Amino acid sequence: MRLPGRLSAAIEVLADIEARRRPVSEALKGWGINNRFAGAGDRAAIGNLVYDALRKRASHAHVMGSDDPRALVLAVAVRDWGEDPQALNAGFEGDTHAPAPLTDEEIARFGRGDDTLAATGNATRADVPEWLEASLERGIGSDWVTQLRAMTGRPPLDLRVNLLKSGRERVAKSLKRFEPLETAIAPNGLRMPAGGRDARTPNVTTDEAYLKGWFEVQDEGSQIVSALAGAAPGEQVLDLCAGAGGKTLATAAAMGNTGQIFAYDSDRARLAPIYERLKRNGVRNAQVRAPEEGALDDLAGRMDRVLIDAPCTGTGTWRRRPDTKWKLTPDLLAQRTGEQAALLDEAVRFVKLGGTLVYVTCSILPEENVDQIAAFRPRHPEFSVIDAAGLWATQLEGPVAALSDAQGGLLLTPLSTGTDGFYFCALRRNA
């Protein structure tokens, strides 16, 4: 397919998402099934157009004066991919798969787009829903617009080397055709930076090294908070929201397959993939606890470390799932914060005297992060916050890159750490 056909396909996919309220991945998969003539390169390019459009939906719509699928895709082609409007029109001529030619008004809007964008509101320039403005400014600070603009770019592909089976140099050699780089902060990570325009993301999960369990796909931010959690060999650890097991696997490697990790999740479906992943990674010190009544009763007061990777709005992953940015509502945020408070209170009974409670989210909103810690501490005064800067110095190299908050937690962002957005706070039980 040529670019005009790819643009038309992206417009079709965005229209399908809007009409049927489908997740992006489902809409793209559906388009691919219905258009089997499209090659892998075509599907990647169309996906890039769709995701780029959603990442900057507000600013693109402002420039174009419309947020319909055609306006958004054309905006991506010109503003993000560097296409010239007149050259696009020339390419559309005689192509039966091309969109309708750009109008004089559309071409004029591109000419004055940056000037009008500079004069518009912060939410539009940051490409976020307006109702989140006050929350983001409170949680991130006065440069929140700059921070959020960094979240509109494409994410890299990050890998965590599984030290139970391999080493970073060995994995890098196995994947040298993808030209991986060492991660800047995480000690055992590799990164493939995102490409521009129609670049394809490497399919590393078909590589022999992945099938052997030498590495896992894991954002560097997730690797960083896993390292900050500080699990040590021989400890007893409860992963209370284990899900598919990403942090369980990282913790097992940090513990050198010693001690015991109890992986639990209240949702049986989320927990299902963990079994195969544990086997492939060679993890022998993890015990999966299914969500049944009394499943964790025997762990009360025994855990050296309890990790809460809390269910959240996922605002820190907006680069990867930009459609969720525009679906988020105050009601959903309230639901998540209620779940998080309940999980923090539930975790208390498992932490032994002198043990550590680790709270993590993939959110950048203060309601899910610093506010939760501020509310938790009066309810449980026996817990005190552990200095996160000290943990960083112990577990990671270099100065603290993340943003600090009033409760002693850390916020990772694409601009500050080059990662997805994550929040981390650790508390010690003193009495």
Side-chain angles (χ1 to χ4, degrees):
M1 296 174 66
R2 296 171 58 243
L3 179 60
R6 290 173 171 181
L7 295 175
S8 290
I11 292 170
E12 182 182 337
V13 172
L14 281 172
D16 181 41
I17 292 169
E18 186 175 291
R20 300 170 64 181
R21 305 296 179 189
R22 302 176 77 185
V24 179
S25 58
E26 286 186 15
L28 287 168
K29 182 179 179 180
W31 187 91
I33 291 172
N34 293 330
N35 298 272
R36 295 188 182 276
F37 63 86
D42 296 321
R43 294 194 300 272
I46 294 162
N48 286 345
L49 287 165
V50 170
Y51 277 102
D52 287 348
L54 291 171
R55 290 186 184 105
K56 297 183 180 179
R57 194 182 80 173
S59 60
H60 284 329
H62 175 81
V63 168
M64 299 300 291
S66 170
D67 65 352
D68 68 42
R70 169 188 165 87
L72 296 178
V73 171
L74 291 178
V76 171
V78 176
R79 302 186 69 235
D80 293 343
W81 289 31
E83 292 290 330
D84 177 77
Q86 299 290 357
L88 279 178
N89 271 352
F92 290 175
E93 290 182 8
D95 192 322
T96 58
H97 300 291
L102 278 73
T103 65
D104 291 342
E105 172 61 19
E106 287 172 332
I107 293 173
R109 281 186 170 277
F110 285 125
R112 59 179 183 266
D114 288 341
D115 291 337
T116 62
L117 192 59
T120 194
N122 285 335
T124 300
R125 290 189 293 113
D127 275 292
V128 298
E130 288 187 10
W131 69 273
L132 287 173
E133 275 196 46
S135 176
L136 291 166
E137 183 171 12
R138 180 169 67 87
I140 297 177
S142 59
D143 69 337
W144 73 271
V145 173
T146 303
Q147 289 279 352
L148 268 295
R149 285 176 68 85
M151 196 170 272
T152 62
R154 295 182 187 174
L157 175 66
D158 292 340
L159 314 176
R160 179 188 58 79
V161 174
N162 177 19
L163 297 185
L164 296 177
K165 286 194 169 185
S166 192
R168 185 150 66 171
E169 184 176 347
R170 189 181 186 190
V171 173
K173 183 177 181 180
S174 174
L175 300 173
K176 63 180 180 180
R177 65 192 182 281
F178 299 128
E179 300 181 348
L181 307 173
E182 292 189 354
T183 45
I185 300 172
N188 303 308
L190 292 170
R191 166 168 292 187
M192 287 79 150
R197 293 178 58 96
D198 56 357
R200 296 169 61 179
T201 300
N203 184 12
V204 296
T205 57
T206 61
D207 189 84
E208 183 180 8
Y210 176 81
L211 299 175
K212 289 180 177 179
W214 289 6
F215 67 86
E216 284 290 324
V217 176
Q218 185 177 24
D219 179 76
E220 186 182 7
S222 182
Q223 296 180 49
I224 290 170
V225 296
S226 296
L228 291 174
E235 287 190 341
Q236 299 291 301
V237 178
L238 170 61
D239 188 349
L240 193 57
C241 306
K247 293 182 178 63
T248 297
L249 298 173
T251 301
M255 296 170 65
N257 249 344
T258 65
Q260 187 76 55
I261 306 169
F262 300 92
Y264 173 85
D265 198 285
S266 61
D267 187 323
R268 195 180 295 270
R270 280 200 303 261
L271 199 59
I274 197 172
Y275 299 96
E276 186 277 330
R277 296 182 77 188
L278 290 171
K279 181 179 180 180
R280 181 167 48 79
N281 278 259
V283 173
R284 300 189 301 274
N285 66 332
Q287 182 182 132
V288 181
R289 294 287 180 96
E292 300 171 353
E293 186 176 354
L296 302 177
D297 287 352
D298 61 317
L299 307 184
R302 292 178 46 205
M303 296 296 101
D304 296 292
R305 208 166 300 270
V306 176
L307 170 63
I308 303 174
D309 186 4
C312 66
T313 57
T315 52
T317 64
W318 276 346
R319 297 186 301 174
R320 302 178 191 280
R321 301 184 61 199
D323 53 326
T324 64
K325 174 165 47 175
W326 310 110
K327 295 176 182 178
L328 182 59
T329 65
D331 287 344
L332 179 57
L333 176 58
Q335 177 185 336
R336 290 291 179 260
T337 55
E339 293 168 350
Q340 292 153 7
L343 277 167
L344 279 163
D345 289 340
E346 178 186 357
V348 167
R349 73 185 182 106
F350 302 109
V351 185
K352 74 178 188 181
L353 183 65
T356 301
L357 174 59
V358 176
Y359 179 72
V360 171
T361 73
C362 55
S363 173
I364 57 173
L365 300 179
E367 292 88 345
E368 302 183 272
N369 298 334
V370 62
D371 292 357
Q372 289 289 4
I373 302 303
F376 172 83
R377 294 183 67 186
R379 298 198 305 269
H380 301 280
E382 70 274 25
F383 282 85
S384 61
V385 173
I386 300 172
D387 176 42
L391 292 174
W392 189 289
T394 302
Q395 304 296 334
L396 303 165
E397 295 182 0
V400 178
L403 308 176
S404 300
D405 66 39
Q407 291 297 322
L410 292 176
L411 182 66
L412 284 63
T413 68
L415 187 61
S416 65
T417 53
T419 69
D420 284 352
F422 278 92
Y423 179 77
F424 172 90
C425 188
L427 305 100
R428 179 174 291 109
R429 185 165 200 163
N430 300 310

